[in-house]
Amino acid sequence: MKIFAIFYVTFCTVRSFPCLLLIILLLLPVNCSFAASERSVGATEEANHLTLNSESAILVDSRSGDVLYEKNADRAMAPASITKIVTGIIALEYGRLNDNVVVSRNAREAEGTRIFLAEGEQKRLEDLVYGLLLNSGNDAAVAIAEHIDGSVAAFSQRMNEFAASVGAHHTHFTNPSGLYEEDHITTASDMAKITAHAMKNEKFRQIVRTRVKPWEGKEWKSKLINHNKMLVSYQGANGVKNGYTTQSGFTLVASAEREGTEFIAVLMKADDDRQIYKDAIKLLDYGFKNYKTVPVLQAGAKISEGGERYRIRQNVYASIPKEDHFRVHVNGADGLIVETDSGVVREYPSVLMREQHLQIADPDRKMEKISSSGDKYQSLPEFLMLCFWRLMIFFMCWMVILLIKKKQV
């Protein structure tokens, strides 16, 4: 009779559907699909309402390469001094930082912004890269180009080969500084790819986040001041370069990192300096408000699907809506798809290597659904059932305690 009484009281307590629904809604976690879907739609609507002064723009996740916003991102445009991002990373990857570079007359007489190098002066390559990226020295750009390849023309060819190697296929450089030339063009999308590659180099990251550096030159003793205003005005800003010519207008590549998520914003051809920094802040704020970077799979990990086993070639990251969860699928022979519970889909080609054919009981078995925190993904019906049984157990325990206390009295 006591057991029957316990079940009867429990049933009476939870049989009211509105009460149960209210409790479930209060306990509902943010990983339920319809809540995540609302956030995803909200992020899309916010992106559609972003108003930018810049003629071309893009926002990408630095680690995954995922594009989160774009405006005329593939339009060919004059880049101005953001060109120096390419010159700087090539100097770091192909040069020796302790090399002494002899400044030529050609470098000494470079037009535009300079760090006042003297003809015949010898400077370490590392110092010239600082002068290039902080103070935007065109004379430093020419000196670097001549030191590495003997001439500006030969170095420009190297720049184009480098751009193609990182997937920047709509880019053509004719000089290392960014001075305007008709055939010196790139796109916001290409500059994002180039910058994402450059930011993997720790020395490059160190240089572009440096605000001030003492300078001891033959003709000029002062301080190199980083021209990128984001470093002093935006939380988490860590690079990278700004630029301007009359023909290109104002250009800017800005990077910022918060809590393990890093975004790169590229903006080209803004009307004035103030507007382009406002645009950069809008894009980065949008990114940090709505997205997070999650590790998906590590290099060397093994996964299987459809009777095949694959090895991961490289670390895979994804940019997904905040509080969202994801699952992975194999796409073709070597690609990976990351799909979130709100319907966001990211594709990563050429990250898998087929290992061997497996004989498994269910050849159509899909991979286990995994959340960004490593927990199993739960559907809404599964969650509701789990909540119901938890409530049942709670009320049963509560009634047992009451009966025990009553017996003690």
Side-chain angles (χ1 to χ4, degrees):
M1 291 297 293
K2 290 183 179 179
I3 295 176
F4 176 78
I6 292 172
F7 275 102
Y8 178 77
V9 173
T10 303
F11 172 75
C12 293
T13 306
V14 301
R15 67 180 179 177
S16 175
F17 178 77
C19 293
L20 179 60
L21 182 60
L22 178 61
I23 294 172
I24 291 174
L25 290 175
L26 290 173
L27 295 175
L28 191 64
V30 292
N31 68 335
C32 280
S33 58
F34 65 82
S37 179
E38 289 176 357
R39 284 188 297 274
S40 179
V41 171
T44 302
E45 290 179 353
E46 185 175 343
N48 292 336
H49 287 88
L50 281 177
T51 56
L52 302 180
N53 176 267
S54 304
E55 189 172 316
S56 175
I58 194 169
L59 178 70
V60 302
D61 183 294
S62 179
R63 290 182 177 85
S64 69
D66 294 330
V67 177
L68 307 177
Y69 174 89
E70 55 185 332
K71 172 188 176 183
N72 302 323
D74 293 321
R75 181 178 294 177
M77 309 187 77
S81 282
I82 61 175
T83 299
K84 294 183 174 80
I85 294 172
V86 184
T87 304
I89 188 59
I90 288 177
L92 296 178
E93 290 187 350
Y94 293 94
R96 294 186 295 270
L97 294 183
N98 288 323
D99 279 357
N100 281 324
V101 179
V102 180
V103 179
S104 69
R105 175 176 293 183
N106 189 40
R108 167 68 178 80
E109 295 177 349
E111 298 179 4
T113 307
R114 300 167 53 217
I115 54 174
F116 302 103
L117 296 172
E119 182 181 353
E121 181 178 2
Q122 295 188 29
K123 296 296 293 183
R124 291 172 64 246
L125 180 61
E126 180 179 0
D127 293 333
L128 291 179
V129 177
Y130 271 99
L132 172 85
L133 294 173
L134 269 66
N135 217 68
S136 203
N138 291 348
D139 47 357
V142 174
I144 290 170
E146 292 179 338
H147 175 73
I148 292 179
D149 281 316
S151 69
V152 165
F155 186 79
S156 298
Q157 180 60 33
R158 184 189 293 273
M159 294 172 72
N160 292 325
E161 293 171 357
F162 167 82
S165 73
V166 298
H169 298 298
H170 303 287
T171 291
H172 183 260
F173 295 122
T174 59
N175 66 70
S177 65
L179 285 174
Y180 178 77
E181 293 182 272
E182 187 175 352
D183 295 334
H184 188 89
I185 56 172
T186 188
T187 67
S189 178
D190 279 1
M191 283 307 305
K193 295 173 184 176
I194 290 168
T195 304
H197 174 88
M199 290 296 280
K200 295 176 183 177
N201 185 295
E202 287 302 320
K203 188 63 179 181
F204 182 90
R205 295 176 71 91
Q206 175 187 326
I207 293 172
V208 296
R209 68 171 176 257
T210 301
R211 298 183 184 179
V212 181
K213 182 177 174 62
W215 180 261
E216 291 285 337
K218 187 175 181 180
E219 293 185 355
W220 187 52
K221 296 181 179 181
S222 184
K223 295 178 180 178
L224 300 176
I225 307 295
N226 199 318
H227 291 183
N228 180 11
K229 299 177 182 178
M230 294 291 287
L231 295 177
V232 296
S233 63
Y234 192 79
Q235 178 187 351
N238 56 3
V240 285
K241 189 74 185 75
N242 65 322
Y244 171 78
T245 67
T246 302
Q247 298 86 348
S248 69
F250 290 87
T251 62
L252 175 66
V253 179
S255 174
E257 181 176 13
R258 296 178 187 173
E259 299 178 353
T261 295
E262 182 175 76
F263 297 119
I264 295 170
V266 182
L267 302 116
M268 303 182 73
K269 203 169 186 178
D271 293 336
D272 59 59
D273 186 59
R274 181 178 57 87
Q275 284 295 146
I276 203 163
Y277 283 103
K278 281 188 175 181
D279 286 353
I281 291 171
K282 284 182 182 180
L283 283 185
L284 292 172
D285 281 351
Y286 165 75
F288 286 119
K289 176 183 176 182
N290 294 290
Y291 295 96
K292 64 180 178 181
T293 305
V294 294
V296 177
L297 290 167
Q298 292 184 337
K302 297 180 181 180
I303 63 173
S304 60
E305 184 172 354
E308 300 290 342
R309 176 179 291 171
Y310 303 88
R311 183 185 296 272
I312 310 301
R313 297 177 184 270
Q314 63 197 53
N315 292 339
V316 179
Y317 296 88
S319 185
I320 66 174
K322 280 193 170 182
E323 308 302 335
D324 213 342
H325 297 76
F326 66 87
R327 49 195 175 274
V328 296
H329 303 287
V330 173
N331 179 26
D334 61 357
L336 196 70
I337 291 179
V338 174
E339 182 180 1
T340 74
D341 49 7
S342 64
V344 174
V345 177
R346 309 290 191 202
E347 296 187 22
Y348 305 97
S350 305
V351 298
L352 301 180
M353 179 172 59
R354 184 177 294 176
E355 197 166 69
Q356 67 182 55
H357 186 76
L358 295 177
Q359 295 295 331
I360 59 177
D362 183 5
D364 295 324
R365 178 177 60 88
K366 298 299 180 182
M367 295 189 64
E368 179 183 345
K369 297 176 180 179
I370 303 172
S371 77
S372 58
S373 61
D375 299 327
K376 290 184 179 180
Y377 172 89
Q378 292 176 333
S379 65
L380 183 59
E382 290 172 339
F383 173 75
L384 293 176
M385 183 60 68
L386 180 62
C387 286
F388 174 77
W389 285 112
R390 284 178 176 173
L391 288 170
M392 289 286 290
I393 293 172
F394 170 78
F395 283 115
M396 288 176 68
C397 292
W398 177 53
M399 292 302 301
V400 169
I401 292 172
L402 290 179
L403 289 172
I404 292 173
K405 287 185 174 180
K406 185 176 181 180
K407 182 179 288 187
Q408 289 176 345
V409 174

